[in-house]
Amino acid sequence: MNKDYKGGVARTSSVKNKGGKTKYKPHVSKALYDANKKSDCDKDFIACEK
């Protein structure tokens, strides 16, 4: 997923990244986030962020 969405996938456009600094903005997609929810280690509603 990081290859296609370098900033990860956010559930909504209003979420903030708790895990630290990222260079990229997350792609917003509720369906894609829900499908990859297990990849959200810090539970900030952004999956697979770098």
Side-chain angles (χ1 to χ4, degrees), residues 6-48:
K6 292 186 188 301
V9 176
R11 190 154 196 252
T12 66
S13 60
S14 64
V15 297
K16 302 285 186 228
N17 187 347
K18 291 182 196 170
K21 294 182 180 180
T22 60
K23 294 186 231 176
Y24 306 102
K25 284 191 170 264
H27 174 76
V28 179
S29 171
K30 182 181 183 307
L32 198 54
Y33 173 83
D34 289 345
N36 295 283
K37 193 185 295 191
K38 66 184 181 303
S39 298
D40 186 7
C41 297
D42 54 1
K43 307 291 185 243
D44 62 354
F45 297 107
I46 304 174
C48 297

